[in-house]
Amino acid sequence: MVELNTWAGLEPAVMDIKTVSGLAQVFELTLTDSAGSVVDLEGVTFRGAVNTAPLRELMCSVEGGKVLFGWSGLPAGRHSFDLFLVTGQVEKALVRGAFVVSGRVIPPLDQESYSVNHAATLVLPDTTDGIILVDLSEVGLVDLLSRKAGAFAEEARDHVSSVRELKEFIVQKVDGFGYVVDTATTAITEAGKSAVASVESGREEAVQAVKKAGETATTAITEAGKSAVASVESGREEAVQAVKKAGETATTAITEAGKSAVASVESGREEAVQAVKKAKETATAAITEAEKSAVASVESTRRAAVGTITPLVQDVETAKDNIDQVERRINTAATNATTAATSAANSATEAQQALAAIPQVDASGNMTIPGGLTAAGTVNANGGVNIPLAVGAPTDTSAVNCLYAMGLAGAVQALVQPIYLNSSSITVAGSISKSSNGTLAGLTQRFSVGAASAGSNAYGSAVIPLIGPNGQFNYSSVCGFSLAVNATAFAKFTFGIGRGSKTNRTGLTMDSYSMIPGDNLAVNYGEIVDVTINTPYDTVRKGYEIRVREIFYVKSVGHWQVKTTTVFLPVGHNELMPNGLNRLIYMQSGPPSTAVREEKAALYMELGGGSTNTLFKIASLRGFINFEAGTGVSTLIIDARNEKTYALSADVGTGTRHLYANGFTNPTYHALEAMAVNAIESEETADFVDINIPL
């Protein structure tokens, strides 16, 4: 087991998390040692923050031995974050990375609060040096989603129960005022009964006292008689006197006892009567006051309660309906998560069974297939399977593959047509001039960007119409194009793609749109794409930042939109940009829908120089419709800015127009998708708002 206080010097894990703007999410981390044992998190807390302004803290908690950290919706872009582990007074960096936030194409769902982003395992080294490793876990994601969905359902049920209890409490409070009156009446009745019982008890005690006095007197007389009889022989007279005296004594005792008993009865009766009378008066007054107070309190509280309860009950019913809807959604999410997990498990089982069913190759390189067919390890045109070939055709495997490859390359080449520069129609504006190179005027063109004066920049724009074989009546089979472009200055390249009129503009700032949809933004299904390359080299991230903007229209939205893509090219400082730019390549896999947004196209950048990677994907685009598309790209606009005291240049050369094969197949698109490095960092879509700022 790893001791958390032994790895203070370890390098934190580095992790980029992809998300989308406007969505709150939660991420789950499991901490283990190198053997896979879970680290004890007793007494450990976590904190974290998103570092981009404004600084936002991450929501951190520990549940079931796992670390959960969440964030509210972030804007599109790259936002660095840190996650720290805190033990006692020591704080240690656990994870450092960035949220790579893409713009959302569709609006947020109703009742959306937050969702599960992912789950990962952090593997801590057993030594005091090394790097914390990240191990992504798809299963953890399913478990987290299932557990969170269950927790949400339980929380929703608790809310429903709490609302119902509140409603019952309010009703009971109103009904309780009637109970006060009933209680007071019962107490008064019991007091009257108690007073009557007290009188009866006093009377019974008096009767018992008289009875006892009589019994005592009778006993005394009897005893005295016995004593007198016994004393007759000794003295008759004394006996007579004794009897007489005993009789007098007995009579006096009986009389006094009777008086005392009568007095006691009278006294008890009077006290009882007074007590009953007083109790009755007190009870009557108490009843009257209690009734007045209760009635006033009930009436006052009833009015207040009715005024307060009525909207509360309405809110309760509304909240109940909303909670019921959320509960149904959560239950559906939990069911879907369980179904997905079951489906994944079934797929894994089927894959394992399919793998087990594959015939195995023995040590000699042979394979026995069910049914008795045996395949030798050297299967080619003559290695156990006879494939008829034309007489004289090569039978070597590599030679056959070479012919297929050459045939495919030839087929692709046959689907390519040239695009030329319409040199006679090129226009320039600002501090830029064009120069033709003799007979190559329609193939290459150079633009010289004038030197900047002290304290200012030299700006210039060139509008270059493009021509070539169209090969269409109404519909065209064009599916992409490639243009040779290059510059030694800060540059922006703008393309007019597909059908529809477009308005060209020059003499604007680099952030302005040099081309917009024409005819007052009339509806059409062409596109406008611009690529802006800023020349300063990022010495920290080691590369160049690029911005791609796409202006497009779909029926489901009903107006023009713009998608902005942020790109970072990780190249060395010797591969200057846009000096090292060779080509901008646009390809699409098929015609997109005009009703809703589809990602059917991509924009690539081909570089020269000594970088390991020279082909990058820099944008995912909608694509254009083939109707009246011509060469696919109609116009190229180059905007350049020169910050130097000597002239810089921008170049453009001939391009190629690529055509679909049967079934709207574009082999070039699929080849580029397989080879290109994806350099996209963030995407954001918004309504189109024109930017038109003159220099």
Side-chain angles (χ1 to χ4, degrees):
M1 180 67 70
V2 174
E3 295 293 336
L4 294 181
N5 56 3
T6 64
W7 52 278
L10 293 181
E11 290 293 327
V14 178
M15 179 169 57
D16 283 0
I17 299 175
K18 293 185 177 180
T19 180
V20 293
S21 62
L23 179 65
Q25 295 191 306
V26 65
F27 198 101
E28 177 186 276
L29 292 176
T30 301
L31 273 61
T32 70
D33 58 18
S34 60
S37 300
V38 178
V39 175
D40 185 8
L41 299 180
E42 182 69 27
V44 179
T45 58
F46 298 84
R47 77 166 189 87
V50 180
N51 299 324
T52 52
L55 187 68
R56 283 157 284 195
E57 291 189 3
L58 297 175
M59 298 169 286
C60 301
S61 65
V62 178
E63 295 183 11
K66 299 178 184 295
V67 181
L68 302 181
F69 66 94
W71 59 93
S72 58
L74 297 172
R78 185 179 180 90
H79 308 273
S80 64
F81 74 92
D82 297 287
L83 182 66
F84 297 91
L85 178 147
V86 182
T87 55
Q89 301 297 320
V90 180
E91 187 173 78
K92 309 167 186 178
L94 186 65
V95 178
R96 284 179 178 157
F99 295 112
V100 182
V101 185
S102 299
R104 305 191 68 188
V105 176
I106 59 176
L109 300 176
D110 293 339
Q111 303 294 330
E112 184 178 30
S113 56
Y114 73 87
S115 64
V116 178
N117 182 283
H118 219 305
T121 298
L122 295 184
V123 182
L124 308 180
D126 298 329
T127 60
T128 58
D129 58 354
I131 302 174
I132 302 172
L133 301 179
V134 179
D135 181 18
L136 294 178
S137 171
E138 293 296 336
V139 177
L141 174 61
V142 174
D143 292 343
L144 179 61
L145 178 60
S146 178
R147 185 169 71 255
K148 283 296 178 185
F152 293 158
E154 186 62 30
E155 182 179 356
R157 295 189 190 97
D158 291 342
H159 287 326
V160 173
S161 177
S162 299
V163 171
R164 288 171 179 165
E165 289 177 2
L166 174 62
K167 182 178 179 181
E168 292 297 327
F169 175 76
I170 295 170
V171 173
Q172 290 174 5
K173 284 296 181 184
V174 177
D175 294 342
F177 291 112
Y179 173 74
V180 171
V181 177
D182 294 340
T183 302
T185 303
T186 301
I188 293 167
T189 303
E190 293 300 324
K193 291 180 180 179
S194 177
V196 173
S198 177
V199 173
E200 291 297 328
S201 174
R203 178 177 175 279
E204 182 63 26
E205 289 178 1
V207 171
Q208 292 298 326
V210 172
K211 182 177 180 181
K212 187 172 183 180
E215 291 175 353
T216 302
T218 301
T219 300
I221 291 173
T222 301
E223 293 299 325
K226 290 179 180 179
S227 179
V229 172
S231 302
V232 169
E233 296 301 331
S234 60
R236 182 180 178 83
E237 186 62 27
E238 291 180 3
V240 173
Q241 292 299 323
V243 171
K244 183 178 180 181
K245 188 173 182 179
E248 292 174 353
T249 301
T251 301
T252 302
I254 291 170
T255 302
E256 293 299 327
K259 291 179 180 179
S260 177
V262 172
S264 177
V265 170
E266 290 298 327
S267 175
R269 177 177 176 279
E270 183 64 24
E271 290 178 1
V273 170
Q274 292 299 323
V276 171
K277 183 178 180 181
K278 187 172 183 180
K280 182 178 180 181
E281 293 174 352
T282 302
T284 301
I287 290 173
T288 301
E289 293 301 323
E291 286 179 345
K292 291 179 180 179
S293 177
V295 170
S297 178
V298 168
E299 183 61 24
S300 174
T301 307
R302 185 189 69 81
R303 288 194 298 269
V306 168
T308 303
I309 292 169
T310 299
L312 285 177
V313 172
Q314 293 173 351
D315 291 344
V316 166
E317 295 301 330
T318 301
K320 178 181 178 298
D321 292 340
N322 291 337
I323 292 170
D324 288 341
Q325 293 178 7
V326 174
E327 186 174 6
R328 286 193 295 271
R329 286 195 181 97
I330 292 170
N331 291 337
T332 300
T335 301
N336 292 341
T338 302
T339 302
T342 303
S343 177
N346 293 339
S347 297
T349 302
E350 292 172 0
Q352 185 177 9
Q353 293 172 348
L355 184 62
I358 296 175
Q360 302 299 310
V361 179
D362 60 21
S364 300
N366 299 321
M367 177 190 298
T368 300
I369 301 174
L373 178 63
T374 300
T378 55
V379 179
N380 54 36
N382 291 328
V385 178
N386 289 323
I387 301 175
L389 295 175
V391 177
T395 58
D396 179 74
T397 305
S398 61
V400 173
N401 290 339
C402 182
L403 285 176
Y404 279 127
M406 291 173 65
L408 179 59
V412 172
Q413 182 63 31
L415 297 174
V416 175
Q417 291 179 329
I419 296 177
Y420 302 103
L421 312 180
N422 190 350
S423 299
S424 62
S425 300
I426 294 175
T427 59
V428 294
S431 180
I432 190 171
S433 60
K434 65 173 180 174
S435 60
S436 301
N437 186 3
T439 59
L440 298 179
L443 301 178
T444 63
Q445 193 77 53
R446 169 160 292 186
F447 301 92
S448 178
V449 186
S453 60
S456 65
N457 296 321
Y459 287 87
S461 302
V463 180
I464 308 159
L466 302 169
I467 58 175
N470 291 344
Q472 69 174 48
F473 176 63
N474 279 336
Y475 284 91
S476 167
S477 63
V478 62
C479 60
F481 59 86
S482 171
L483 287 177
V485 290
N486 173 269
T488 59
F490 178 6
K492 178 177 68 176
F493 303 94
T494 303
F495 304 96
I497 304 174
R499 76 185 299 262
S501 64
K502 301 169 180 66
T503 301
N504 303 326
R505 306 186 302 199
T506 59
L508 304 179
T509 62
M510 298 296 276
D511 285 333
S512 298
Y513 293 107
S514 298
M515 184 185 298
I516 63 171
D519 296 335
N520 295 318
L521 302 181
V523 174
N524 69 68
Y525 299 103
E527 292 200 326
I528 296 170
V529 176
D530 68 26
V531 181
T532 304
I533 305 173
N534 201 349
T535 52
Y537 180 75
D538 190 328
T539 58
V540 176
R541 301 179 64 192
K542 300 188 183 307
Y544 294 91
E545 185 173 292
I546 295 174
R547 180 189 66 194
V548 179
R549 297 185 297 190
E550 173 196 19
I551 303 174
F552 65 95
Y553 183 97
V554 289
K555 291 180 182 178
S556 59
V557 176
H559 54 260
W560 291 92
Q561 292 185 291
V562 59
K563 178 180 178 181
T564 302
T565 303
T566 301
V567 179
F568 187 79
L569 289 186
V571 296
H573 62 85
N574 283 327
E575 285 73 52
L576 298 179
M577 287 294 291
N579 307 56
L581 177 60
N582 281 345
R583 280 183 177 269
L584 288 173
I585 307 167
Y586 175 101
M587 290 291 161
Q588 58 188 57
S589 60
S593 169
T594 60
V596 295
R597 170 80 183 193
E598 287 185 326
E599 303 286 342
K600 284 297 188 77
L603 188 64
Y604 306 92
M605 178 178 286
E606 183 187 19
L607 307 181
S611 296
T612 302
N613 297 316
T614 58
L615 181 64
F616 293 91
K617 179 178 180 178
I618 61 173
S620 179
L621 308 174
R622 186 200 65 179
F624 59 87
I625 309 302
N626 284 337
F627 186 69
E628 297 178 353
T631 57
V633 56
S634 57
T635 304
L636 168 66
I637 300 178
I638 299 178
D639 293 282
R641 187 182 79 190
N642 184 4
E643 300 171 338
K644 306 296 184 180
T645 56
Y646 50 88
L648 298 179
S649 64
D651 295 84
V652 59
T654 186
T656 55
R657 172 181 185 260
H658 293 247
L659 306 176
Y660 285 118
N662 293 345
F664 291 110
T665 300
N666 180 3
T668 307
Y669 170 85
H670 297 289
L672 293 175
E673 277 292 284
M675 295 186 296
V677 175
N678 192 338
I680 297 173
E681 287 199 326
S682 67
E683 300 171 301
E684 183 176 5
T685 300
D687 293 342
F688 173 72
V689 178
D690 190 14
I691 303 176
N692 183 8
I693 305 174
L695 294 174

